[in-house]
Amino acid sequence: MSQSDVPDFAELLKSARHTAVHLEMRDIYSVGDETESFERFLRTGEADLDPDSAFWQGWTPLVREAVGRGVSMRRARIVSEPVTDYIRYEHALTPVNIAVGEQVRWLPRPQTSEIALPGNDLWLIDDRLVLFHFFAGDGDWAGHEYSEDPAVVRLCASAFEAVWERGVDHEKFTV
């Protein structure tokens, strides 16, 4: 699939029929649309837990729509311990992900040593298409790439399922 043939992420998620899984492996993200919210969290410890707020409007409607169509959405996060401030922030926000239908698990990094992991965060849609996210060293967006290569899809599916199997449900994971 050429890059020009690939839909944006919202269209990609709307194309999902059965599953959409997300593997996150960084300890720090520094994407621009979270800057103000993250800085507020650092100052006050408060996180925006209103799934209908302006902060969440780019995400929660997409998840609700997908889950409403019967798509299973799972997110697995590999984290170093002790966790970074960003992971504490992400953990504080996760109740919104769950409230709109995502399932979320966390896995401490030492428990991943025997898992063959891809080099980048990813979304896997219906075990057919992988969207890799690239980040700069400081955690800001640096691009993305799609793959439908069966070997790449198998690696990513296997890695995600291994992380998911070992992961701890959000409700039981403390930071």
Side-chain angles (χ1 to χ4, degrees):
M1 178 179 295
S2 76
Q3 294 299 312
S4 62
D5 295 336
V6 178
D8 68 18
F9 182 76
E11 292 174 32
L12 185 66
L13 187 56
K14 287 178 182 177
S15 77
R17 297 289 168 246
H18 307 288
T19 61
V21 301
H22 189 32
L23 181 59
E24 298 178 26
M25 299 182 283
R26 294 182 56 94
D27 288 315
I28 297 172
Y29 295 88
S30 182
V31 294
D33 59 343
E34 293 178 344
T35 302
E36 185 178 318
S37 175
F38 181 51
E39 288 174 356
R40 183 177 126 217
F41 176 79
L42 291 176
R43 282 191 319 275
T44 67
E46 297 173 7
D48 184 344
L49 298 179
D50 177 1
D52 298 314
S53 72
F55 175 76
W56 287 100
Q57 282 312 295
W59 184 246
T60 57
L62 294 174
V63 176
R64 286 174 171 149
E65 192 277 332
V67 170
R69 288 186 289 108
V71 174
S72 171
M73 291 190 66
R74 296 182 293 157
R75 180 184 300 258
R77 293 174 169 149
I78 298 171
V79 296
S80 299
E81 291 181 310
V83 300
T84 62
D85 286 339
Y86 185 87
I87 295 301
R88 285 189 317 103
Y89 164 72
E90 198 170 52
H91 189 270
L93 290 171
T94 299
V96 173
N97 298 88
I98 292 167
V100 297
E102 288 186 68
Q103 300 169 60
V104 179
R105 290 189 180 170
W106 302 81
L107 185 62
R109 196 168 307 281
Q111 295 179 38
T112 66
S113 296
E114 301 85 26
I115 301 172
L117 295 167
N120 295 288
D121 287 12
L122 63 93
W123 276 95
L124 175 61
I125 306 295
D126 290 334
D127 288 332
R128 67 176 168 82
L129 175 85
V130 178
L131 165 63
F132 291 107
H133 288 295
F134 305 133
F135 295 90
D138 66 1
D140 203 358
W141 293 110
H144 64 271
E145 179 178 284
Y146 295 86
S147 178
E148 292 181 303
D149 180 311
V152 172
V153 168
R154 277 192 305 276
L155 168 69
C156 294
S158 173
F160 180 86
E161 293 305 330
V163 170
W164 188 257
E165 182 179 305
R166 295 177 187 197
V168 177
D169 284 331
H170 175 74
E171 294 80 9
K172 295 178 182 175
F173 188 79
T174 57
V175 294

